[in-house]
């Protein structure tokens, strides 16, 4: 049993505040990115031409060449920020798992989902970004080829739900933490979170299938 | 037919060198309107008179009797047995120092919290016994009272994942206390002073929005709302200070 | 043996103890508070309704002043109070409320304009003055001529105690919670501290102090049905009585509150009736106005409790597995009022009864509530019998309540008396030195250690401490309750003596190691039975009816023979208390007369009989 009877007085510093801001802002930026990203990827549903056009636009405006690495940086930065909160010590790990099992409390449990998905996203997301960004330009045909290879299909099949879960929960968490969702709105926000996650997974799956079937 | 209840109760007496942490099982017949207060008292008086637990007001207003009831923190005295399953598991609150069995030392923790957040009205005025009191809007008084209703039971701390992982986290109860003083015009602390107390990773920026606190608080304090407001306030305060510097 | 030294030792960290501590610490004296529970869990936090002080800001309190408060309090006490003390109290109560406001209480405030209020189930209208906007408002309470009870919703005790404890933290006063005083250290003349048992480890500890204060609150737990917290079992009164020289004042003065809920006896505040709630019988008819046309539900507590008991005895109670009860009806106050001004009541009904007071009736009946009885002190709070010993709050018999306390006067007493007694202790300490007598200290400690060892080894017998406590509680409940008579009281005294003998033969069932709860009770049980005997003996001797003390065989208030105060001491080795009497009051501002409510049958000072039909 851990014992604590004192709280520590810290010298005044605003670092925590800024880090928290940045964590939220990088999170929010990544959410926005993932939504845009979904537009790009899902455009294939409408046809290879649409996707190529979008990708071409990104290419010509250098948004892919410059934006890609920037996103990569935000991604890493967000990881570093958020990792402050992730329990790496075994003792803390077991505490939080035990607690959330005991509590049977969804929001605590969701946080665990967020932290766990994050670790996997970190690895898979990096691999994915490396692959795509070292093989520019983006075209529907190249993507389709990758996915029809089988490996990437399974890869995305795993990554997609993990990302969408993380994003959905992250969205809800920002709303709650920063007081956008008040007590009376909490149920509504939670529903919204679930819908968002489900819808994005669905669109993503359709896009994947489309790639798989693209000639 | 009255139910037969099974109680699994955590037992450990740190003062007894022969005692090791374990679980004892007792059975008891349910009676009408039985609460955990009645049940535990009966267990102590009839089955094992060394059983340690805390009750004081037995009316849900003093906060003495918080414990983990089937895994969730709650007030034992206002928990009606009829809302519980046949098998009831009772554990002491985590985080607080164990005194024995279900009894924990909340007093030391809360005193440290009061000192840390300086839980009193800071003012440069002095009291004038002859003068009429300062006026206050009744609506504001009621708003302050809303936050003042906290009974310091510790449930929100015990039910918080962050507090369980990090010993230095002050918990929602402390944040609520600060929110109460921010609201009170009699307290002359500046935003910056409040920031120094709570604008840290031990304070509001350590909170991960798990909302265990909100969901277990037996007095239904508006913790979610207050934490949100506080984070925004402290967040802006930091931003403002940034610009004031440059 | 761990020994701590301090100037002032407050046994009790409720409102009274902490108020004294604040005063002493502000004057620069080192101060330690002891408490069985963390200070904010003290039973002061359970007080719901409010605190009386004649501010006169609200419309229905217009024209209020200390004089009116004085009159109400003396009448409420049925002339049992010390009028000099009452005067002192009423004059300083307004200042106390304001000081608490200054320290942070969110008192409810005057909202100008028209608003409805209820009285006796009927709706009336009042208009609050615009120029009073934002000043501290008040609600109606039993036995008062004006609305005088200042409040914060129905959590007044809670906010007061939290604010007081904030002050204690601010001043850096040491509080040792989970420490129980089990004996005073004294040589028969001077008190120099206590022997205490730490309830975190079970170990004994010595506190030495120049001034020791007993502020341990009431001891309702000697009764079976009480609104009091489970820790209110008389620790302070017991250690005072154990000295053999410090008397308890008016031990027979035990108040019953009209509205404890059935079956758990949790209190629902008098504010319910103050705000317009009514009492109903089995036919859902009001009845109080038939007995008390003037005050109806808002007569003083002793009177309402008696009429309720009387009404139940007429067969008009509601039958339940827990015995007969009556109904409290607050439905007509409306959802908004209940959800803002009677929140705790709403929670208590929902959580403990499964009753929604907005749409349903609340089952209530009188339950033990307050001990006017207590450690007898002079007007400075200095205990009779021992130098260096003080007392304040419910634990004390200061004595502003006489034979009946008015609702809202007790919170006010804790703070006003706390301040006054605190000031007096500071005065006392200036230039005061004590010599600690190590022999006396050692004897006191050895005595307590021997008691503990004896209980664990079972050398005196193996009586079950819980059975003894239950027997004592039943005896008081059944025979020393709301209505009393000579033969029952005699029987109670006889039975309690037998119980007292058994209490001396307690042996533990468990091993008694550490913070053993059985040992905690066993250490107190003899003292509790002593308190019970003081109450029963005091009641048996007092052959009149006054305030809460209602003798069926002596229905008149007898000012000729009983306008006095019982003083009970317990000499070492005795098995009954010694009772002495002193005049109720030296100063007489308001000579005995009719109260204006309750049965009026008085034998006046010169023997004239008033109100005999
Ligand atoms: C349910 C309820 C509602 C009430 N409502 C009102 C109201 O609305 N208005 C009003 O005016 N009054 C009300 N009262 C009465 C009033 O609350 C009390 O009389 C008053 O608060 C007592 O305060 P106190 O400081 O004397 O004692 P308490 O607050 O009871 O404090 C006693 C202290 O002594 C400590 N203690 C006890 N024994 C020992 C020991 N042996 N060693 C060490 N420490 C010890 C305890 O731990 C505690 O800290 C109410 C009472 C009850 C029970
Ligand atoms: C700037 C960086 C990125 C670019 C340019 C990019 C581009 C692409 C492209 C072109 C595809 C189509 C499949 C393919 O070609 O292999 C794709 C799919 C995918 N990307 Fe990214 N991506 C980026 C960052 C990320 C990040 C950070 C994540 C999440 C961690 C992510 C998650 C996914 C997923 C889950 C899919 C599968 C989509 C589906 O379900 O159809 N991507 N991405
Ligand atoms: C490298 C991989 C990632 C890791 C390790 C990671 C980790 C985390 C963690 C632990 C949190 C919780 C922080 C807290 O509650 O305070 C979090 C929050 C969040 N994450 Fe991630 N994340 C990763 C990638 C992403 C990606 C790709 C996105 C978006 C597409 C994202 C969006 C968010 C959002 C919106 C939040 C909420 C922010 C907040 O609560 O302030 N994360 N992340
Ligand atoms: S905020 Fe609620 S849960 Fe936390 S201590 Fe206060 S009353 Fe208990
Ligand atoms: S549970 Fe803990 S993390 Fe924050 S929202 Fe409540 S304090
Ligand atoms: S005993 Fe006071 S809250 Fe449960």
């Amino acid at each position: 049993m851990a014992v604590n009877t004192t709280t520590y007085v810290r010298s005044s510093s605003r670092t925590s505040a800024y880090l928290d801001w940045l964590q939220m802002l990088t999170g929010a930026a990544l959410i926005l990115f993932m939504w845009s990203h979904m537009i790009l990827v899902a455009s294939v549903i409408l046809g290879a031409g649409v996707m190529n056009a979008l990708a071409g636009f990104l290419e010509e405006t250098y948004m892919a060449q410059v934006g890609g690495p920037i996103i990569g940086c935000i991604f890493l930065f967000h990881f570093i920020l958020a990792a402050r909160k992730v329990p790496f010590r075994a003792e803390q790990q077991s505490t939080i798992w035990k607690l959330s099992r005991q509590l049977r409390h969804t929001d605590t449990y969701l946080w665990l989902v967020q932290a766990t998905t994050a670790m996997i996203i970190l690895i898979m997301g990096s691999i994915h970004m490396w692959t795509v960004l070292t093989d520019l330009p983006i075209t529907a045909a190249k993507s389709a080829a990758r996915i029809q290879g089988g490996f990437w299909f399974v890869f995305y099949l795993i990554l997609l739900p993990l990302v969408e879960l993380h994003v959905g929960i992250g969205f809800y968490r920002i709303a709650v933490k920063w007081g956008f969702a008040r007590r009376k709105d909490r149920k509504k926000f939670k529903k919204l979170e679930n819908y968002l996650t489900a819808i994005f997974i669905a669109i993503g799956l359709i896009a994947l299938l489309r790639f798989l079937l693209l000639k | 037919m009255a139910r037969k209840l099974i109680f699994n109760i955590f037992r450990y007496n740190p003062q007894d060198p022969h005692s090791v942490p374990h679980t004892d099982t007792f059975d008891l017949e349910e009676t009408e309107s039985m609460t955990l207060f009645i049940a535990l008292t009966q267990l102590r008086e009839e089955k094992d008179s060394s059983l340690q637990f805390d009750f004081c007001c037995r009316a849900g207003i003093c906060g003495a009797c918080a414990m983990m009831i089937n895994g969730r923190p709650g007030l034992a005295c206002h928990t009606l047995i009829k809302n519980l399953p046949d098998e009831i598991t009772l554990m002491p609150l985590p985080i607080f120092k164990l005194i024995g069995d279900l009894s924990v030392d909340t007093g030391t923790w809360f005193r440290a919290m009061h000192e840390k957040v300086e839980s009193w009205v800071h003012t440069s005025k002095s009291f004038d016994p002859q003068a009429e009191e300062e006026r206050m809007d009744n609506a504001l008084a009621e708003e302050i009272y809303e936050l003042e209703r906290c009974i310091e039971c510790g449930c929100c701390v015990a039910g918080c994942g962050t507090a369980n992982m990090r010993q230095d986290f002050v918990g929602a109860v402390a944040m609520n206390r600060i929110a109460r003083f921010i609201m009170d015009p009699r307290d002359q602390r500046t935003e910056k002073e409040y920031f120094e107390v709570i604008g840290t990773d031990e304070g509001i920026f350590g909170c991960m929005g798990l909302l265990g606190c909100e969901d277990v608080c037996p007095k239904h304090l508006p913790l979610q709302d207050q934490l949100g407001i506080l984070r925004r306030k402290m967040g802006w305060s930091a931003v403002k200070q940034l610009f004031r510097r440059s | 043996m761990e020994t701590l030294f301090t100037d002032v030792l407050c046994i009790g960290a409720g409102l009274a103890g902490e108020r004294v501590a604040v005063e002493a610490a502000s004057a620069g004296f080192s101060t330690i508070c002891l408490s069985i529970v963390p200070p904010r869990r003290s039973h002061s936090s359970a007080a719901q309704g409010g605190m009386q002080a004649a501010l006169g800001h609200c419309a229905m309190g217009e024209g209020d002043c200390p004089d009116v408060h004085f009159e109400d309090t003396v009448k409420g006490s049925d002339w049992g109070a010390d009028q000099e003390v009452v005067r002192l109290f009423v004059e300083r109560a307004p200042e106390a409320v304001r000081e608490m406001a200054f320290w942070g209480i969110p008192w409810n405030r005057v909202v100008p304009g028209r608003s409805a209020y209820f009285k006796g189930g009927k709706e009336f209208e009042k208009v609050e003055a615009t120029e009073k906007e934002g000043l501290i408002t008040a609600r109606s309470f039993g036995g008062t001529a004006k609305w005088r009870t200042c409040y914060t919703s129905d959590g007044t005790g809670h906010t007061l105690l939290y604010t007081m404890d904030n002050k204690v933290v601010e001043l850096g006063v040491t509080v040792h919670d989970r420490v129980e005083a089990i004996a005073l250290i004294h040589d028969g003349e001077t008190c120099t501290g206590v022997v205490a048992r730490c309830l975190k480890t079970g170990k004994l500890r010595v506190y030495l102090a120049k001034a020791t204060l007993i502020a341990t609150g009431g001891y309702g737990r000697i009764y079976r049905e009480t609104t009091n917290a489970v820790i209110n079992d008389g620790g302070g009164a017991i250690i005072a009585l154990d000295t053999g020289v410090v008397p308890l004042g008016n031990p027979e003065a035990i108040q019953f509150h009209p509205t404890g809920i059935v079956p758990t006896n949790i209190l629902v505040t008098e504010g319910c009736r103050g705000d317009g709630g009514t009492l109903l019988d089995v036919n859902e008819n009001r009845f109080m106005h038939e007995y008390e046309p003037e005050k109806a539900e808002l007569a003083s507590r002793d009177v309402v409790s008696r009429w309720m008991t009387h009404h139940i005895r007429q067969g008009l109670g509601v039958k339940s597995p827990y015995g007969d009860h009556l109904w409290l009806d607050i439905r007509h106050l409306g959802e908004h009022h209940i959800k803002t001004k009677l929140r705790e009541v709403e929670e208590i009904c929902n959580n403990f009864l499964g009753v929604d007071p907005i749409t349903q009736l609340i089952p209530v009946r009188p339950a033990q509530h307050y001990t006017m009885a207590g450690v007898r002190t002079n007007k400075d709070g200095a205990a009779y019998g021992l130098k260096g010993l003080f007392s304040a709050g419910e634990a004390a018999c200061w004595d502003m309540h006489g034979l009946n306390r008015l609702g809202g006067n007790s919170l006010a007493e804790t703070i006003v008396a706390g301040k006054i007694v605190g000031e007096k202790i500071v005065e006392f300490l200036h230039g005061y030195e004590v010599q600690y007598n190590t022999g006396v200290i050692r004897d006191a400690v050895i005595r307590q250690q021997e008691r503990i060892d004896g209980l664990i080894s079972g050398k005196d017998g193996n009586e079950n401490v819980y059975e003894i406590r239950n027997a004592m509680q039943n005896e008081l409940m059944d025979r020393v309750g709301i209505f009393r008579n000579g033969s029952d009281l005699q029987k109670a005294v006889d039975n309690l003596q037998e119980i007292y003998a058994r209490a001396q033969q307690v042996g533990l069932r468990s091993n008694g190691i550490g913070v053993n709860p059985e040992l905690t009770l066993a250490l107190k049980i003899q003292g509790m039975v002593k308190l019970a005997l003081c109450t029963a003996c005091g009641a048996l001797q007092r052959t009149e009816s006054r305030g809460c003390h209602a003798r069926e065989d002596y229905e008149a208030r007898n000012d000729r023979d009983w306008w006095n105060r019982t003083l009970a001491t317990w000499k070492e080795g005795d098995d009954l208390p010694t009772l002495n009497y002193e005049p109720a009051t030296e100063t007489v501002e308001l000579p005995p007369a009719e109260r204006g409510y309750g049965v009026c049958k008085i034998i006046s000072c010169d023997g004239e009989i008033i109100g005999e039909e």
Side-chain angles (χ1 to χ4, degrees):
Chain A
M1 175 105 0
V3 172
N4 177 41
T5 47
T6 37
T7 33
Y8 313 111
V9 183
R10 263 274 218 90
S11 59
S12 113
S13 147
R14 299 191 298 275
T15 325
S16 316
Y18 299 140
L19 291 179
D20 202 56
W21 269 112
L22 289 171
Q23 179 186 322
M24 186 269 269
L25 291 174
T26 53
L30 286 170
I31 292 181
L32 289 178
F33 166 74
M34 287 313 293
W35 289 348
S36 328
H37 173 280
M38 190 50 88
I39 295 176
L40 168 74
V41 177
S43 63
V44 76
I45 301 174
L46 301 176
V50 184
M51 183 175 165
N52 287 338
L54 264 179
F57 170 75
L58 292 180
E59 207 81 25
E60 270 155 41
T61 53
Y62 291 94
M63 268 164 76
Q65 294 91 323
V66 183
I70 290 181
I71 291 297
C73 289
I74 296 184
F75 182 88
L76 282 179
F77 193 39
H78 170 78
F79 159 69
I80 292 165
L81 288 169
R84 295 175 307 140
K85 310 278 167 163
V86 181
F88 287 107
R89 276 174 47 200
E91 187 204 322
Q92 293 178 333
Q93 282 265 2
S94 84
T95 314
I96 183 80
W97 280 104
K98 224 173 76 197
L99 182 84
S100 58
R101 257 205 314 275
Q102 265 188 14
L103 277 182
R104 304 173 316 267
H105 182 249
T106 344
D107 281 32
T108 305
Y109 188 65
L110 285 181
W111 185 84
L112 282 173
V113 173
Q114 202 179 13
T116 329
T117 53
M119 291 306 140
I120 307 172
I121 296 172
L122 172 66
I123 299 163
M124 296 181 81
S126 309
I127 298 174
H128 161 69
M129 274 194 282
W130 184 262
T131 315
V132 178
L133 290 176
T134 51
D135 190 18
L136 290 175
I138 298 170
T139 67
K142 267 203 268 178
S143 297
R146 253 200 299 271
I147 286 168
Q148 285 165 12
F151 169 80
W152 287 104
F153 179 68
V154 178
F155 183 93
Y156 289 140
L157 223 46
I158 298 168
L159 183 58
L160 173 72
L162 294 183
V163 171
E164 296 309 344
L165 272 174
H166 189 97
V167 169
I169 300 169
F171 175 80
Y172 166 74
R173 193 74 74 205
I174 289 179
V176 163
K177 277 164 78 175
W178 290 82
F180 302 118
R182 303 296 297 264
R183 169 181 273 186
K184 60 181 191 326
D185 315 317
R186 179 154 161 229
K187 271 215 180 80
K188 271 191 301 200
F189 265 87
K190 214 161 193 167
K191 241 197 202 139
L192 184 65
E193 170 209 335
N194 291 336
Y195 282 136
L196 277 179
T197 311
I199 290 171
F200 278 102
I201 293 181
I203 300 178
L205 281 177
I206 297 173
L208 272 184
L209 285 176
R210 188 79 177 89
F211 279 123
L212 203 58
L213 302 173
L214 201 72
K215 282 186 261 314
Chain B
M1 247 267 306
R3 287 193 296 167
K4 205 164 190 93
L5 305 165
I6 297 175
F7 284 89
N8 302 312
I9 300 180
F10 174 87
R11 301 300 303 275
Y12 178 47
N13 181 358
Q15 301 303 321
D16 181 352
H18 300 297
S19 173
V20 285
H22 65 284
T23 303
D24 272 352
T25 302
F26 301 95
D27 47 45
L28 195 71
E29 191 142 314
E30 182 173 8
T31 55
E32 202 182 312
S33 313
M34 194 184 228
T35 59
L36 273 179
F37 164 66
I38 296 171
L40 280 169
T41 309
Q42 209 172 324
L43 285 178
R44 178 193 278 172
E45 294 184 7
E46 288 165 15
K47 311 238 160 154
D48 185 341
S49 54
S50 67
L51 187 58
Q52 292 183 51
F53 49 75
D54 295 321
F55 286 98
C56 182
C57 71
R58 59 85 180 83
I61 35 192
C62 77
C65 63
M67 55 181 73
M68 300 298 259
I69 304 162
N70 284 340
R72 275 204 171 209
L75 297 181
C77 70
H78 83 182
T79 301
L80 287 166
I81 299 277
K82 72 166 194 273
N83 300 332
L84 295 177
D86 297 351
E87 189 161 346
I88 299 163
T89 302
L90 301 176
M91 304 271 285
L93 285 190
I95 300 176
F96 301 97
K97 180 174 173 171
L98 182 77
I99 289 176
D101 301 343
L102 301 175
S103 170
V104 295
D105 181 1
T106 50
T108 312
W109 195 96
F110 276 103
R111 173 75 184 230
M113 184 276 273
H114 301 145
E115 284 167 7
K116 156 113 193 168
V117 306
E118 304 193 355
S119 166
W120 59 84
V121 168
H122 291 54
T123 177
S124 56
K125 297 181 195 160
S126 51
F127 175 65
D128 175 359
Q130 258 67 56
E132 196 172 70
E133 66 272 17
E134 267 183 47
R135 292 175 194 241
M136 180 184 268
D137 188 37
N138 190 55
L140 175 62
E142 282 178 358
E143 260 179 78
I144 296 173
Y145 175 67
E146 187 65 25
L147 305 192
E148 181 95 0
R149 288 179 75 241
C150 165
I151 56 173
E152 300 194 344
C153 60
C155 286
C156 58
V157 182
C160 169
T162 310
N164 273 277
M165 282 188 292
R166 297 187 28 213
Q167 302 292 303
D168 55 357
F169 182 58
V170 298
V173 58
M175 254 92 72
N176 174 71
R177 180 60 46 79
I178 280 291
R180 176 240 176 276
F181 284 108
I182 292 180
M183 203 181 268
D184 193 331
R186 288 168 293 201
D187 195 316
Q188 297 170 334
R189 272 181 278 186
T190 60
E191 195 171 270
K192 209 170 148 209
E193 284 169 294
Y194 285 124
F195 185 90
E196 263 158 39
V197 175
I198 210 86
T200 60
D201 249 350
E202 287 88 62
I204 188 66
F205 298 115
C207 163
M208 305 197 296
L210 305 181
L211 297 189
C213 55
E214 164 96 2
D215 294 337
V216 300
C217 174
K219 299 308 265 187
H220 309 291
L221 268 94
L223 297 175
Q224 176 190 347
D225 291 353
Q226 290 309 320
L227 289 167
I229 293 170
L230 202 58
R231 187 185 295 265
R232 279 224 295 265
K233 216 172 227 145
M234 292 302 128
W236 282 124
S237 166
V239 172
K240 273 189 277 181
Q241 289 178 55
L242 183 69
F243 286 109
R244 214 168 294 145
R245 271 280 171 85
S246 53
Chain C
M1 178 67 38
E2 192 182 354
T3 306
L4 292 106
F5 293 84
T6 178
D7 293 329
V8 181
L9 179 70
C10 298
I11 312 170
L15 279 172
E18 289 205 327
R19 186 63 191 83
V20 169
V22 164
E23 203 60 30
S26 303
F29 289 102
S30 67
T31 307
I32 298 179
C33 291
L34 307 183
S35 174
I36 297 178
V37 289
R40 294 175 190 213
R41 312 210 191 290
S42 301
H43 204 51
S44 291
S45 70
Q48 303 167 348
M51 155 170 183
Q52 284 205 41
L55 297 173
H57 293 321
C58 67
M60 304 297 290
E62 215 179 286
D64 199 9
C65 64
D67 292 338
V68 186
H69 192 181
F70 176 86
E71 209 172 294
D72 284 345
T73 303
V74 174
K75 280 185 191 163
S77 79
D78 223 351
W79 275 269
D82 181 328
Q83 297 193 13
E84 190 184 358
V85 169
V86 177
R87 178 48 76 184
L88 203 60
F89 161 77
V90 296
E91 294 292 341
R92 295 195 65 180
E95 166 195 333
V97 165
R98 291 187 169 123
E99 186 170 48
M100 292 311 293
F102 183 76
W103 288 343
I105 303 283
W107 293 116
N108 277 72
R109 304 290 177 139
V110 175
V111 180
R114 283 172 199 288
S115 53
Y117 72 94
F118 288 88
K119 199 177 163 199
K122 282 204 269 306
E123 196 171 330
F124 296 88
E125 197 184 61
K126 61 184 172 62
V127 185
E128 298 288 349
T130 316
E131 67 271 17
K132 301 283 188 192
E133 177 169 14
L135 293 174
I136 297 168
T137 190
R139 60 165 40 133
S140 182
F141 248 41
T144 62
K146 303 278 178 189
W147 288 23
R148 186 187 299 128
T149 307
C150 307
Y151 62 98
T152 52
S153 182
D154 57 355
T156 315
H158 173 89
T159 52
L160 283 170
L161 186 58
Y162 272 51
T163 302
M164 193 69 83
D165 194 51
N166 283 342
K167 196 74 198 160
V168 161
V169 177
E170 179 184 354
L171 292 169
V173 174
T174 309
V175 180
H176 288 177
D177 72 312
R178 288 184 188 265
V179 174
E180 178 166 31
I182 58 171
L184 289 173
I185 299 172
H186 69 99
D187 56 8
E189 275 165 20
T190 312
C191 174
T192 49
V194 302
V195 179
R197 179 162 166 263
C198 172
L199 299 182
K200 291 178 190 172
T201 60
K203 296 200 175 70
L204 292 185
R205 194 184 289 158
V206 170
Y207 289 88
L208 296 177
K210 291 182 186 170
T212 306
L213 172 87
I214 296 180
T216 51
Y219 51 88
R221 285 280 155 179
I222 58 173
Y223 280 78
R224 181 181 68 226
E225 284 156 22
T226 172
T227 63
N228 284 194
V230 297
I231 62 163
N232 286 15
D233 47 14
I238 291 170
I239 57 179
L241 200 58
D242 278 345
T243 61
V245 288
V246 178
L248 294 186
N250 281 342
E252 65 273 33
I254 304 288
Q255 181 176 73
F256 282 72
H257 194 290
T259 55
I261 61 173
V262 181
T264 43
N265 304 305
I266 296 171
L267 181 84
V268 291
T269 172
E270 182 158 327
C272 289
R273 282 171 294 130
D275 292 0
T278 52
L279 292 167
L280 307 180
D281 61 19
V282 65
N283 305 316
E284 304 198 7
N285 289 328
R286 275 187 73 206
F287 56 89
M288 272 309 297
H289 62 293
E290 285 164 19
Y291 299 119
E292 295 292 330
E294 175 69 20
K295 293 251 168 194
E297 277 86 353
L298 283 176
S300 66
R301 289 178 178 171
D302 55 333
V303 172
V304 179
S305 295
R306 269 199 297 275
W307 286 128
M308 288 171 75
T309 311
H310 172 78
H311 208 65
I312 290 175
R313 286 185 180 176
Q314 302 292 303
L316 290 163
V318 184
K319 301 258 173 296
S320 88
Y322 301 99
D324 293 0
H325 63 76
L326 294 159
W327 298 116
L328 172 66
D329 183 7
I330 58 171
R331 297 172 299 183
H332 51 283
L333 303 185
E335 182 166 352
H336 177 74
H337 186 96
I338 293 173
K339 283 199 183 273
T340 54
K341 300 247 160 41
L342 298 170
R343 298 188 53 158
E344 299 300 336
V345 171
E346 195 207 0
E347 271 189 24
I348 286 170
C349 291
N350 276 303
N351 290 338
F352 294 91
L353 295 173
V355 163
D356 177 4
I358 298 169
T359 57
Q360 289 170 294
L361 297 172
I362 309 168
V364 293
R365 86 177 146 218
Q368 191 288 339
H369 182 58
Y370 189 84
T371 37
M372 280 77 72
V375 178
R376 178 66 184 136
T377 70
N378 66 13
K379 66 176 194 289
D380 298 340
Y384 285 19
L386 282 182
K387 196 171 168 199
L389 183 65
F390 296 80
S391 183
E394 190 173 340
C397 178
W398 187 31
D399 169 16
M400 56 169 277
H401 303 306
L403 271 286
N404 177 62
R405 161 186 81 105
L406 290 185
N409 254 356
S410 170
L411 284 181
E413 179 192 8
T414 59
I415 295 170
V416 176
K419 191 173 164 104
I420 294 174
V421 175
E423 288 165 1
K424 292 296 171 186
I425 290 179
V426 167
E427 254 173 50
F428 167 83
L429 284 176
H430 277 297
Y432 176 71
E433 296 300 336
V434 279
Q435 230 120 48
Y436 295 118
N437 183 332
T438 51
V440 169
I441 299 167
R442 194 200 51 226
D443 289 349
V445 173
I446 289 177
R447 208 159 159 180
Q448 296 311 313
Q449 192 59 53
E450 279 173 354
R451 278 178 72 203
I452 293 174
D453 297 342
L455 285 165
I456 292 176
S457 69
K459 77 170 172 47
D460 297 319
N462 62 350
E463 285 282 356
N464 180 332
V465 67
Y466 297 111
E467 281 170 13
I468 292 175
R469 186 207 54 197
N470 292 348
M472 168 198 70
Q473 289 178 336
N474 290 338
E475 206 56 52
L476 285 185
M477 204 69 215
D478 299 342
R479 291 187 241 276
V480 200
I482 294 180
F483 286 106
R484 302 165 175 183
N485 64 65
S487 68
D488 274 355
L489 288 170
Q490 186 57 55
K491 204 151 171 201
V493 171
D494 295 344
N495 291 344
L496 283 167
Q497 273 186 289
E498 205 175 294
I499 294 169
Y500 183 58
R502 283 171 62 200
Q504 288 165 315
Q505 292 157 20
V506 167
L508 297 192
R509 257 117 263 274
S510 52
N511 62 17
I513 296 175
V515 200
N516 183 288
E518 188 185 12
L519 177 59
T520 308
L521 180 60
L523 281 169
K524 244 180 303 202
I525 190 68
Q526 285 184 36
M528 288 174 80
V529 183
K530 279 188 189 174
L531 293 179
L533 267 165
C534 288
T535 302
C537 291
L540 177 62
Q541 291 306 315
R542 189 175 279 278
T543 48
E544 64 154 356
S545 293
R546 185 186 293 271
C548 70
H549 174 71
R551 285 284 295 254
E552 290 163 316
D553 44 356
Y554 296 92
E555 286 185 319
R557 189 181 86 204
N558 184 343
D559 291 328
R560 184 190 55 203
D561 306 316
W562 287 102
W563 190 18
N564 60 17
R565 180 176 303 104
T566 310
L567 296 176
T569 45
W570 197 292
K571 305 263 178 303
E572 177 142 18
D574 282 4
D575 55 5
L576 274 179
T578 309
L579 301 185
N580 291 298
Y581 294 89
E582 66 174 10
T585 181
E586 300 287 347
T587 326
V588 183
E589 237 186 275
L590 191 68
E594 292 178 24
R595 292 167 102 186
Y597 47 80
V599 182
C600 171
K601 224 185 260 176
I602 299 172
I603 301 170
S604 74
C605 294
D606 29 289
E608 194 188 333
I609 295 174
I610 306 168
E612 196 71 65
E613 55 267 52

